[in-house]
Amino acid sequence: MIRLFSLLLFLVYSFPAFSQVSGCTDPLATNYNDQAEVNDGSCQYPFTTFTPERIGPLPSEVPETSGLVLYGGCLWTHNDSGWQPELFCLDPEDGSLIRTVWVANAGNRDWEEITMDDNYLYIGDFGNNNGNRRDLVIYKVPLTDLELDTVFPTEITFEYPDQTDFSSRPLENDFDMEAMISFGDSLYLFSKNWESQNTRIYSLPKEPGDYVASLLDSFEANGLITGASFNPKDSLIALVGYTIFLQPFVWLLWEFEGSSFLSGNKRRIELSLPFHQLEAICWNPEENYFYISNERFDNIITVPARLHKFAIDQWIHPEISATGNFAEPLPFKIYPNPVGNTVHFQSIDQHYSNSLDREGGKFKLKIYNYSGHLVLNKSIDSNLDNYPLNVEKLISGKYILELTDGINRFVTSFIKE
C-alpha cells in the first residue's frame, strides 16, 4: 500500500511537468518551436541592426550625460565624474535645458546612473573605473522634492560580496558599475566588466543603510553595460552599452520569471551609431519607446552629446513583425467583435471556401495578448466556416489573432469582453 500510495503521489505531481512542452516560444527567434507552450529562455536571434531616431543635441551644461529618467514633464539627467552634484531637467521634445537642481551634501565622485520608483529618485555614485572604490553610494531623493532648487538626499551605502582585491586596475577590472533599475522592493545593479566583457546582477534594499549587495546572476554581454531601464508595460528590461571599439548596442530582456531577469528572452540589437558612447536609457510610457543618450566623444572624430529615441515593438510584438514568408492574406474575417466567449470565422472568398470543403482545412492558430505574449496555440483540422473558437478562459482585453495554412496568413485584432 505504501508503494502504491508513493506511486500515485509521483504521478499526480509529476504529470503536469510533462504535460507542457518547453522551448523557445518567440516566433521571431531562429530556433522557434511552434509546439512549445512554456518559454525556457533558449531563444536565439539573428544578427540585428537598427538606427535610432535622433531627437537633438544635449545642452552644453551636460557634455557627459550618464543617466536618464522621465518624470514630471522633465527628462532628468546628470554628468558623471568630475562635475558638480546637479540634476538637469531637459525638454523631452528636443533635449533643451529647462532648469537645474542642486543635490546638497552629495559630492559627485562618479555619478553613473539614476532610476526611480513611484516615490523616490535614486542616484548611483558607484562608477569605479579603477576598481578600487570602497565608498559606493546611492543617493535617495523624494520625487516631490524635484520641484525645489535644492534637494537633501539620504544614503544607501554598499559593497560587493565577491570583491577581495582593491588594487587599482584602471579599465582592467570587473567591478565598475553604471547601470541600475528599480524593480519591486529592491534596486538591481548591472556591472560594467572591463576585463570579461560580461555583466553581473546584484540587488540592494531601497531603505537607507549600509549593505553587502546580493550577487544574483551574470551573463555574457559581450560589451560594457552603461545604462538600464525597466518597461513595466511589457515587463522588459533594456540594457544599453558599447564595445571597446565604441560600437553601441542594446540588450532586451523579457518574458522572465519574477526577478530572474535572465530566465526569459535575451536579444541584442546593434545600433547604427558609430563612435557613440551611449551612457543612459529610459522608457517613455506615453509613447512606448526608450530615450537613449550619448556623451560627447572627441578623439580623431567628434561626436556631440545627443538624445535619441529607440522603439522596440518590432522585436517583442509578433503582431508587428511577420512570423514567416506568406504569399497573401487568408480571406477570412471574424465575428462578433468585441467577443464574448466564442469567436466565429467567415470566409470572404467563396472559391477558397469551396477548396476547403473539398480538401479539408488544416490551420495553425495563435492568439497573443497586447504585451506580445502567446496565450493560445493550437492546430485546427476543420473548415473554419463551421468552427467555433472558445476564448472563454481569456481575460478581458485586446488580443491579436494569427491564422496560417502554411502558405497564407490572416492577422486581426479583437477585444474580449
Side-chain angles (χ1 to χ4, degrees):
M1 289 295 293
I2 293 175
R3 290 182 178 177
L4 179 59
F5 182 68
S6 298
L7 178 61
L8 288 173
L9 284 178
F10 174 79
L11 292 174
V12 167
Y13 287 103
S14 298
F15 181 76
F18 293 102
S19 64
Q20 291 184 312
V21 178
S22 296
C24 174
T25 59
D26 186 354
L28 302 184
T30 57
N31 61 329
Y32 169 56
N33 180 357
D34 63 0
Q35 302 300 313
E37 301 169 286
V38 178
N39 187 355
D40 63 2
S42 66
C43 291
Q44 300 174 15
Y45 297 93
F47 180 83
T48 305
T49 62
F50 180 73
T51 303
E53 179 183 343
R54 184 184 300 177
I55 295 176
L58 294 181
S60 59
E61 291 85 352
V62 197
E64 296 188 8
T65 174
S66 200
L68 288 174
V69 295
L70 185 64
Y71 174 75
C74 289
L75 194 57
W76 295 94
T77 188
H78 56 82
N79 288 307
D80 58 18
S81 59
W83 294 85
Q84 297 295 327
E86 295 174 305
L87 297 170
F88 300 92
C89 165
L90 307 182
D91 187 330
E93 295 297 320
D94 59 14
S96 60
L97 180 62
I98 297 175
R99 66 188 190 90
T100 302
V101 172
W102 182 266
V103 184
N105 305 322
N108 181 351
R109 179 167 178 183
D110 196 356
W111 289 12
E112 288 292 354
E113 179 70 296
I114 49 177
T115 190
M116 69 179 191
D117 56 22
D118 292 338
N119 300 303
Y120 292 94
L121 180 78
Y122 302 88
I123 307 168
D125 190 348
F126 41 47
N128 193 17
N129 283 338
N130 295 337
N132 62 349
R133 281 191 68 174
R134 293 179 181 266
D135 58 346
L136 305 170
V137 60
I138 298 169
Y139 297 110
K140 182 177 180 179
V141 178
L143 287 173
T144 53
D145 287 2
L146 294 179
E147 300 175 0
L148 308 174
D149 293 331
T150 302
V151 296
F152 296 85
T154 53
E155 296 183 3
I156 300 168
T157 59
F158 68 98
E159 60 184 272
Y160 302 115
D162 50 336
Q163 183 173 14
T164 57
D165 181 4
F166 289 88
S167 59
S168 179
R169 299 173 58 199
L171 310 187
E172 293 182 354
N173 71 86
D174 280 349
F175 289 94
D176 201 356
M177 184 67 65
E178 295 194 8
M180 172 175 64
I181 64 168
S182 167
F183 184 87
D185 61 359
S186 299
L187 298 172
Y188 292 86
L189 284 62
F190 299 81
S191 66
K192 180 183 181 183
N193 292 7
W194 291 96
E195 199 166 37
S196 68
Q197 305 286 292
N198 296 338
T199 189
R200 295 189 304 279
I201 305 174
Y202 299 89
S203 68
L204 283 168
K206 291 181 176 180
E207 295 304 312
D210 188 25
Y211 303 97
V212 176
S214 298
L215 176 58
L216 305 178
D217 212 335
S218 66
F219 84 105
E220 296 181 2
N222 295 317
L224 305 173
I225 299 299
T226 57
S229 182
F230 176 60
N231 166 355
K233 175 181 179 294
D234 298 308
S235 192
L236 176 145
I237 294 171
L239 303 175
V240 70
Y242 53 87
T243 69
I244 58 174
F245 303 107
L246 283 185
Q247 168 57 49
F249 59 83
V250 170
W251 277 99
L252 303 177
L253 314 176
W254 76 105
E255 284 198 3
F256 45 78
E257 294 293 329
S259 59
S260 299
F261 302 137
L262 304 181
S263 64
N265 299 329
K266 300 170 282 292
R267 180 164 190 168
R268 176 170 166 140
I269 311 297
E270 307 291 337
L271 302 183
S272 299
L273 297 172
F275 299 103
H276 280 59
Q277 188 173 328
L278 296 187
E279 292 285 342
I281 183 167
C282 80
W283 180 57
N284 180 339
E286 298 299 325
E287 304 294 336
N288 200 30
Y289 60 74
F290 288 93
Y291 293 103
I292 55 177
S293 62
N294 66 278
E295 68 175 50
R296 178 181 174 87
F297 177 75
D298 201 352
N299 187 351
I300 303 177
I301 67 170
T302 297
V303 178
R306 291 173 174 148
L307 183 66
H308 298 79
K309 63 172 63 173
F310 175 75
I312 63 169
D313 277 341
Q314 62 182 302
W315 300 298
I316 65 166
H317 289 295
E319 67 272 20
I320 295 176
S321 295
T323 59
N325 296 316
F326 299 98
E328 60 185 42
L330 286 172
F332 285 101
K333 65 180 181 179
I334 66 170
Y335 68 93
N337 195 2
V339 176
N341 293 327
T342 306
V343 172
H344 296 277
F345 297 85
Q346 180 179 347
S347 174
I348 56 176
D349 184 329
Q350 191 60 46
H351 175 74
Y352 185 80
S353 182
N354 291 340
S355 68
L356 290 179
D357 289 337
R358 292 191 302 270
E359 302 171 10
K362 293 183 181 296
F363 299 94
K364 286 283 189 180
L365 183 140
K366 297 174 185 177
I367 294 179
Y368 302 89
N369 64 23
Y370 247 58
S371 292
H373 299 152
L374 184 65
V375 296
L376 182 64
N377 183 8
K378 65 182 303 178
S379 298
I380 299 176
D381 296 328
S382 170
N383 183 335
L384 288 183
D385 281 330
N386 301 313
Y387 185 83
L389 176 66
N390 190 315
V391 293
E392 182 178 1
K393 293 183 178 180
L394 298 183
I395 64 173
S396 298
K398 194 171 183 180
Y399 293 87
I400 299 296
L401 183 149
E402 178 191 63
L403 186 72
T404 66
D405 64 0
I407 300 174
N408 307 304
R409 177 174 181 254
F410 168 65
V411 178
T412 190
S413 64
F414 68 89
I415 296 173
K416 171 67 167 59
E417 292 181 325

